[in-house]
Amino acid sequence: MEEILKTGLEAMGLSPSPEQLAAMTRYGQMLMQTNETTNLTAIRTWPEVARLHFLDSAALLNVADFAGKAVADVGTGAGFPGVPLRIMRPDIRLTLLDSVGKKMDFVRGGCISLGLEDVTCLWGRAEEMPQLREGFDLVVSRAVAELPLLAELCLPLARVGGLFLAMKKTDCDLEVARGDFAVRALGGRVREIRRYTLPGTDVEHAVAVIEKVRPTPPQYPRRWAQIKKRPLLG
Ligand code: SAH
């Protein structure tokens, strides 16, 4: 796994230290081990964990400047993309949140065992955390919901001038277009869709880069039942 990570990260223009590679490998081992008894991820082989979790997460470092930023990972699951970002960029102030307690238990334990005690781990729903409102330079999220709904979970957390990076499959153009109304209603603007290929694979992924240009109106986010029932679709 370490070799895949090293060559992959280097192919992405990143230069991981031996300590960073060891930390990622260790976190991957904990993930695989815990996954035997608790269902945390559908990705089950070492090369897949290395590429689809770690390299995919680290790809965000080429999409935005993370230096010193306050970063929130909404629906982090087993810690992706947040944990690899924090390992590669120790200067970020990271908040991880997920609505499933057993996932946050794993992530919290994993962070502590890597010595990442400053990472804030929150168990709860993103749309029910008013204390986080407009509190982050960067909000990141992978595989949580379709953009029209996801925007309402994530954009309220970004400060004006910040970015929301929504990690998507490469064929996301229609989804992003469908999300445009919600993005605008929530104070955002779609800047671009960036695409990248995962080193060692022919898998292409995309990131919708969304700027926060205005404060989110106070009526948002709504409760999840409302978001689902009446998504902001124009
Ligand atoms: N980001 C991770 C996990 C994706 S699975 C990865 O890419 O590997 C989606 C995760 O989002 C689940 O763990 C689920 O519990 C969480 N989730 C869904 N809706 C949420 C919400 N409203 N607030 C916080 N977490 C949420």
Side-chain angles (χ1 to χ4, degrees):
M1 167 144 162
E2 240 181 272
E3 196 49 41
I4 297 176
L5 290 173
K6 183 169 189 288
T7 46
L9 291 165
E10 285 172 356
M12 293 160 69
L14 304 167
S15 16
S17 68
E19 293 73 27
Q20 288 169 322
L21 292 170
M24 283 187 261
T25 304
R26 181 154 162 59
Y27 193 81
Q29 280 164 343
M30 288 187 279
L31 174 62
M32 300 281 272
Q33 200 167 30
T34 308
N35 210 36
E36 283 172 17
T37 50
T38 310
N39 185 25
L40 294 171
T41 174
I43 293 172
R44 288 176 193 284
T45 70
W46 283 109
E48 283 185 320
V49 169
R51 295 193 177 104
L52 298 176
H53 280 326
F54 287 93
L55 298 183
D56 193 39
S57 298
L60 286 184
L61 297 171
N62 287 331
V63 174
D65 179 11
F66 279 72
K69 298 280 165 70
V71 181
D73 180 4
V74 172
T76 191
F80 301 97
V83 170
L85 292 170
R86 172 62 180 76
I87 292 171
M88 288 302 294
R89 294 280 344 196
D91 59 336
I92 63 177
R93 283 164 289 138
L94 180 63
T95 298
L96 302 169
L97 60 106
D98 201 283
S99 53
V100 173
K102 69 173 184 184
K103 295 190 177 177
M104 284 322 299
D105 290 344
F106 168 76
V107 171
R108 190 176 293 114
C111 285
I112 288 170
S113 94
L114 294 182
L116 309 178
E117 280 88 0
D118 63 321
V119 174
T120 304
C121 294
L122 300 175
W123 169 36
R125 303 196 61 95
E127 70 277 20
E128 294 173 5
M129 297 192 175
Q131 75 280 17
L132 302 184
R133 194 176 181 90
E134 319 252 340
F136 298 91
D137 305 301
L138 297 170
V139 179
V140 300
S141 188
R142 186 180 78 162
V144 172
E146 293 274 302
L147 189 60
L149 292 77
L150 183 68
E152 193 162 341
L153 305 181
C154 294
L155 266 172
L157 306 186
R159 67 165 179 78
V160 173
L163 293 177
F164 160 37
L165 305 175
M167 301 177 75
K168 293 287 164 194
K169 292 272 167 346
T170 192
D171 58 350
C172 64
D173 298 68
L174 196 62
E175 181 187 337
V176 174
R178 269 169 48 83
D180 192 62
F181 180 86
V183 166
R184 286 166 189 273
L186 295 158
R189 181 170 64 202
V190 178
R191 182 196 286 176
E192 60 178 332
I193 300 175
R194 289 273 291 271
R195 291 187 163 79
Y196 57 91
T197 303
L198 287 176
T201 75
D202 52 11
V203 177
E204 189 179 70
H205 281 169
V207 184
V209 180
I210 295 164
E211 300 166 332
K212 179 85 174 255
V213 290
R214 278 182 308 280
T216 298
Q219 67 267 33
Y220 305 120
R222 299 162 295 163
R223 311 284 298 182
W224 178 245
Q226 282 297 309
I227 297 175
K228 243 183 112 172
K229 197 165 146 203
R230 281 189 245 287
L232 295 167
L233 287 173

